[in-house]
Amino acid sequence: MGSADSKLNFRKAVIQLTTKTQPVEATDDAFWDQFWADTATSVQDVFALVPAAEIRAVREESPSNLATLCYKAVEKLVQGAESGCNSEKEKQVVLNCSRLLTRVLPYIFEDPDWRGFFWSTVPGAGRGGGEEEDENARPLAESLLLAIADLLFCPDFTVQSHRRNNVDSAEDVHSLDSCEYIWEAGVGFAHSPQPNYIHDMNRMELLKLLLTCFSEAMYLPPSPESGSTNPWVQFFCSTENRHALPLFTSLLNTVCAYDPVGYGIPYNHLLFSDYREPLVEEAAQVLIVTLDHDSATSTTPTVDGTTTGTAMDDADPPGPENLFVNYLSRIHREEDFQFILKGIARLLSNPLLQTYLPNSTKKIQFHQELLVLFWKLCDFNKKFLFFVLKSSDVLDILVPILYFLNDARADQSRVGLMHIGVFILLLLSGERNFGVRLNKPYSVRVPMDIPVFTGTHADLLIVVFHKIITSGHQRLQPLFDCLLTIVVNVSPYLKSLSMVTANKLLHLLEAFSTTWFLFSASQNHHLVFFLLEVFNNIIQYQFDGNSNLVYAIIRKRGVFHQLANLPTDPPSIHKALQRRRRTPEPLSRTGSQEGASMEGSRPAAPAEPGTLKTSLVATPGIDKLTEKSQVSEDGTLRSLEPESQPSSAEGSPSEGEPSQTWRDQRRLSSTSASGHWSPTSDWILSWKSKLPLQTIMRLLQVLVPQVEKICIDKGLTDESEILRFLQHGTLVGLLPVPHPILIRKYQANSGTAMWFRTYMWGVIYLRNVDPPVWYDTDVKLFEIQRV
C-alpha cells in the first residue's frame, strides 16, 4: 500500500475514533488494528494526523475509547516484546504503537483526572488472561515500561543478532542476556558493534517514547514535595527492569563514544549524513532524566578506594534504590573515568572547533544535556570528581564552559546555561587541585569576545567573569556572589596574574565599592568582602609571583582608603542614593581599559526577539549553596559549619565575615511599610567595622613610600622599573599573621535539586521540536515565555 493510502486510512481511523460517541469494545480488532496494523506512518505523520484538539475531545467526550486505545497500543508493544518482533510486520506495528503513544501520553498527563490511569490495572488483562489472575495483573505503566526495555534489546530490531542465519534457532527473548548486546563499547563493555542505521532509528523512537513516559514530571508544579520520585523513573530504574544495567551502560557509552567529527576527517559530515546524532541526543536526555535524584536526601555510597574486577564498585552501603544512580555512583576504574571524561570534553569542545575551522565538523546542539550529565557524574561519584581534578584534563571541561558563559552572557533565553556553567565551576572550585590546575598557561586561541591577554587559565577565568559582570544582562545579578566565590576559592593557589587580569579585579572593586552601589541593596557589600578576601589570599599566600596585582593595588590605593573612610551619617547616605537615581547604569565599564577583543571573535549577542524560553525556579543564596571549610596546615579541610544547625538565626560570625547572618542585617536596616528596603547608619557600621582591610593597608604603608621614592629618585614614569622592584621586594615579617584559608564548598540541597529538575525539563521541552512532543500542552513545571 502506498504511503498516501496508508496516511489516508490512518486519518480515517482517527476521525472514526473522534466521532464515535459509543464505547468501542476492546475485542473489536478490526477497528483498533486500523491504527497500527496496515499503516506505515512516520512519527511526523502521526503528529500531523492526530491533532491536539481531537485527542482532548476524545479525552473529554468518550474517555473509555481513549483508555482502550492506550491499553490496546500497550498490549501490542507487550506482544512484540514477547515474540521478539520476528517479522517486518510486527516491527512496523511496534513502531506505529510507540509513535501513537508518544503523541497521546502528554494529553493524559496534562489532565489531573487521568493521572492515575496508567497506574491502574486493566480489567481482564491478567497475565494469564483468565479472570482469577486479575489480582497480580501489572499496572499499565509497568507493562509499558518493561516492554520498552525488552524491545531496546531485541535482536534484528534494535541490536545485532548473534545467531548465524539459522532461522530455527531464533534467539529466545526470555533467556537472552542483554549484557552481551550493549550498544557501544566503553564502560564495562569492550566490543563495539557494527553501526546500523535502522537499529539506531528504532532505538531512538523507543527512547522518545520512554522520555515521554518520564515527562509526567512536567505536568506537576515545582514544589519541594514534588522532589519525591517520579513513579515512571522509579519503576524503570528498579530491579524489576532486568535490562537496567545494560541499558544504563548502553546510554552512557553511546553518548561518550560519539564523535561528531566524522571519524577524524574534517568536512566529512558534509558527505555523510550522521544518523547517530539524534540517537545520542535522545540517549543523553533519557540518561539525565533517569538520574534526576535528590542527592541531598539520600545516602550516597562511601568512597573507600576498593577496586573489584567489575566496572561497578561493590562498595557498601548499597546506595540509592534508583539503579541508574547506583551504577553511576559505583563506576571506579581509571580507564572508564578516562573514557567518560574524554568523551564529554570532546563533545563540549565541539562548538569551539567550529569557530576556528568553520563547518569542519558537525555542530552539535546538546551541550546543555552534557553539562547536566557532567554535573550528575561529579555530584554522585566523588571518585570521578577527584579523577577529573587529578589531571589537567579538567581544563578541557573548563575552557568550553567559559566559552559558553561568555557567549551566552547577553542572551536572556540562556540564563539556565549560565547557571549550570557557574554551578559546575563552583563545585570544582571547592577542591584545591582545581586552583592549582588553573596556573597552566593558556595557549589555545579560541576566538572569544574578551580582551587579549597573555597568561594562564586563571587569567581566562577572571577575564570572562569580569566580562559577565560588567556586560551581561540584569538577570545575571544573582550569579555575582557565585562568580566571586569561585574566584575566592581558587585565589590562594594563583601563582601569577597578568596585568590585564589584575586591572579587571580592581575595576570590579571600584565598581562595587561606590557608595550608591553599596547602599542600594542589602547584600551588595558582600561582593566587596569577597574581592578583599581574594586580594588578602593572594598577598598572604602568593605574594612572590603577583607583582602585577600588587602594582595595581598600589595604583588604585584610593579605593581602599575610600572604603576605610566610608561615610555612615544619614545625609551622606541620602546623597549617595540621590546620585544613584541619576545614574541607573548597573556597573559602568568606564575605568576598565577594555583592550581590543580577540581576533575572529563575535560580540555576545542578545536573544532574537520572540525566542522561546522556559522559566526557572530561584536558586538558593550562596549561604545555602555552600558550606564553609577551613584549610589546615596539612591541606585537609575542616568544616566550619555548626554541628547542629542552631534554631535561631544567630550564627557566630567568623573574623572578616561579611555579616552575622542576613536576617540580622535586615534587622539593622529599616524596611518601610511598602516593603522597600533602605540603609541605616547602624546597618553600615555593622559591616564596615568587619571589612578585612588590615593586610592591604599594611602593604600600602610599607610599599607606597618606597615606590614613590623610586619615582622621585629616578624621575621614573616607567612602570617596568617599579614592577621589577616589586618582583624582588618582600613583605616577610611585615604583614599580619596569615589568616587561615577559607573555602566555600558547594553542598547538595533540595533547592538546587528543584532548580536542576526545572532546568533539565525546560531544555528537553525546547529541544524536542521535531516532532514537538510537549508543545502546546499544559505543562506546570515551568512557564513558556517569549524573549
Side-chain angles (χ1 to χ4, degrees), residues 123 216 338 430 435 497 688:
E216 185 175 8
Q338 188 63 34
L497 293 177
K688 179 185 168 182

Side-chain angles (χ1 to χ4, degrees), residues 658-660 665 668 681-690:
S659 58
Q660 290 99 311
Q665 279 177 28
L668 289 165
S681 297
D682 285 349
W683 171 75
I684 298 169
L685 284 165
S686 75
W687 55 259
K688 179 185 168 182
S689 59
K690 298 199 187 77

Side-chain angles (χ1 to χ4, degrees), residues 746-757:
Y746 167 80
Q747 55 169 355
N749 60 79
S750 47
T752 40
M754 193 64 236
W755 185 88
F756 271 97
R757 182 168 306 130

